[in-house]
Amino acid sequence: MNHKPFSPADNIQDLQYFGEFGGVNPSISDSSTYTFLSAKTMFDTFEGNAEGCYLYSRHSSPMNLYLGQALAAMEGTEAANVCASGMGAITTVLLQLCMGGGHIVSARTIYGGTYAFMKNFLPGLGITTTFVDITKADVVEAAITPKTTVLYCETVSNPLLEVADIEALAKIAKKHNLKLVVDNTFSPLSVSPAKMGADVVIHSLTKFINGSSDTVGGVVCGTQLFIDDLRNVNNGAAMLLGPTMDSLRSASILKNLRTLHIRMKQHSYNAQYLAERFEQDGLKVVYPGLESHPSHNLYKGMINPEYGFGGMMTVDVGSLDKANELMELMQHRNLGYLAVSLGFYKTLFSAPGTSTSSEIPMDEQKEMGLSNGLIRFSIGLDNDIRRTYKMMRTCMQDLGILKEALSTL
Ligand SMILES: *Cc1c(COP(=O)(O)O)cnc(C)c1O
């Protein structure tokens, strides 16, 4: 038997596409519509059974299929459908799986946009959501009702960096005949949710995968059957709602995907270094690579160790005022940018309670442990992280943050 471990970066590298004229990159198809040599083939394509024929670019296009193939290879799924944004991927999946009304059991610490969609938008369509602490299997199972169709989580949650036990959740999903949908945006290559039993894996390509903060994009990875459902001309959410990525953009994302493995290693190396030092300095750091993280051992068993524990970490500096002062000073000293989003070459920081998670009401933020002084860091690709650490430490000393942290030790 062949027990070759699953290697997402090798799977991407093994795919070979040539351009129309022998180019080392595939040619970009600059067309919204495609001709047919016979009218009969056009009819067959509408019926969904003309393999290899293109019809219209909202349905599929050569470059979107190339990028989709590469991302399916990365996640180890049969197929994938790229979308114009991560939210385009998330909303089409949920609408497809909850057609005709339904119930979702979701992690309560998730991306603010996903939370708002479930909480405020879906109830208008008869689809309701129960938000739970995803780290507690009994709580998750107790929330399942006869109407439940979807179990939803993020591998590593935004912004609190809670870890979902995907294998355990997949067992629960199977037992109750639910689809387990996992947003893997924070941990590409590190974690392969489909290999642990997830039915659908979603990414916002906007973040690490594209990595250059120049576009939004998304992808849905799943079975060929599910991807075909999403693209169905009669009732497919991706086809009918139309969050289609442009071919020029999918070409540029495919090129950036080529360096993802190198970038993820550097993001993780830098974040692990900073998290360890800041923790020693007495700061309240949350990073899955620290032994103090409640799910450190679980996550250690889930990751492909080559890629480490990822580039995301949080530091709680006590109050929103301090957080804002620190972020402004770090930006002033060119240590990163005060910006939302993640996965850029430069470190990005924001205070999620008043930005990316502001959709979540204050009392709920408090309950889930999202405090005002929390800063979310997406650690960059800094060449010399020791130098960065010293400069960040100086910023904290200058603002009296480090002295306070040390005195509470
Ligand atoms: C950014 C993000 C999204 C949304 O993606 P967009 O590309 O901005 O639409 C979804 N989930 C997570 C975890 C994200 O970080």
Side-chain angles (χ1 to χ4, degrees), residues 85-87 90 111 114 154 158 183 185-186 204 206-207 216-217 342:
S85 70
M87 284 310 295
I90 291 163
Y111 179 70
T114 311
E154 296 174 1
N158 181 18
D183 180 337
T185 299
F186 277 25
S204 165
T206 314
K207 316 297 170 54
V216 289
L342 44 127

Side-chain angles (χ1 to χ4, degrees), residues 164-185:
D165 186 344
I166 293 171
E167 271 179 18
L169 293 171
K171 279 196 195 115
I172 296 174
K174 206 151 255 129
K175 181 170 153 199
H176 296 272
N177 200 23
L178 317 178
K179 295 284 181 225
L180 176 60
V181 179
V182 179
D183 180 337
N184 200 29
T185 299

Side-chain angles (χ1 to χ4, degrees), residues 267-278:
H267 284 301
S268 289
Y269 177 84
N270 286 354
Q272 181 81 36
Y273 183 89
L274 289 179
E276 283 172 12
R277 294 305 173 291
F278 286 149

Side-chain angles (χ1 to χ4, degrees), residues 89-383:
I90 291 163
T91 54
T92 49
V93 165
L94 293 177
L95 289 169
Q96 195 75 33
L97 291 176
C98 300
M99 216 185 276
H103 175 250
I104 301 167
V105 173
S106 171
R108 62 183 183 184
T109 59
I110 50 172
Y111 179 70
T114 311
Y115 178 87
F117 182 67
M118 289 176 180
K119 172 131 181 161
N120 307 325
F121 194 100
L122 285 179
L125 302 174
I127 301 161
T128 54
T129 303
T130 304
F131 295 97
V132 296
D133 180 344
I134 204 76
T135 62
K136 300 204 168 87
D138 51 334
V139 175
V140 172
E141 199 154 11
I144 296 169
T145 74
K147 282 191 73 186
T148 310
T149 48
V150 171
L151 183 53
Y152 187 94
C153 68
E154 296 174 1
T155 311
V156 179
S157 80
N158 181 18
L160 293 175
L161 310 181
E162 287 175 352
V163 175
D165 186 344
I166 293 171
E167 271 179 18
L169 293 171
K171 279 196 195 115
I172 296 174
K174 206 151 255 129
K175 181 170 153 199
H176 296 272
N177 200 23
L178 317 178
K179 295 284 181 225
L180 176 60
V181 179
V182 179
D183 180 337
N184 200 29
T185 299
F186 277 25
S187 44
L189 299 178
S190 287
V191 179
S192 305
K195 293 285 141 194
M196 299 171 187
D199 297 289
V200 179
V201 182
I202 295 175
H203 283 277
S204 165
L205 302 176
T206 314
K207 316 297 170 54
F208 290 105
I209 291 180
N210 185 57
S212 49
S213 293
D214 55 358
T215 185
V216 289
V219 71
V220 179
C221 304
T223 61
Q224 188 68 54
L225 198 66
F226 182 62
I227 299 304
D228 288 347
D229 282 351
L230 281 175
R231 290 187 190 138
N232 188 298
V233 295
N234 292 307
N235 60 9
M239 181 65 184
L240 299 178
L241 298 172
T244 311
M245 179 175 281
D246 184 75
S247 288
L248 274 92
R249 196 44 96 176
S250 49
S252 76
I253 296 174
L254 180 61
K255 283 174 276 191
N256 285 2
L257 180 65
R258 301 292 181 206
T259 56
L260 179 64
H261 56 298
I262 302 168
R263 290 185 279 114
M264 286 314 294
K265 288 174 193 175
Q266 189 74 21
H267 284 301
S268 289
Y269 177 84
N270 286 354
Q272 181 81 36
Y273 183 89
L274 289 179
E276 283 172 12
R277 294 305 173 291
F278 286 149
E279 188 170 61
Q280 278 167 11
D281 290 336
L283 290 165
K284 272 205 240 165
V285 191
V286 175
Y287 181 66
L290 293 176
E291 273 172 35
S292 58
H293 189 286
S295 304
H296 174 70
N297 285 328
L298 166 69
Y299 199 51
K300 204 170 163 181
M302 282 168 62
I303 58 170
N304 187 340
E306 261 187 279
Y307 302 106
F309 292 86
M312 303 301 295
M313 90 185 179
T314 66
V315 178
D316 189 343
V317 296
S319 72
L320 182 61
D321 286 345
K322 274 278 176 260
N324 289 344
E325 266 185 283
L326 178 61
M327 292 191 293
E328 285 167 12
L329 185 61
M330 286 191 298
Q331 175 162 265
H332 179 71
R333 295 185 184 168
N334 200 16
L335 290 164
Y337 297 139
L338 204 180
V340 299
S341 201
L342 44 127
F344 198 33
Y345 82 94
K346 193 99 176 171
T347 293
L348 302 179
F349 31 78
S350 57
T354 50
S355 60
T356 48
S357 296
S358 58
E359 293 93 339
I360 303 172
M362 267 316 186
D363 50 326
E364 288 176 42
Q365 288 191 22
K366 219 182 206 134
E367 199 191 311
M368 60 177 69
L370 209 174
S371 61
N372 254 332
L374 196 80
I375 302 178
R376 183 187 78 177
F377 286 83
S378 164
I379 303 302
L381 300 173
D382 307 34
N383 177 53

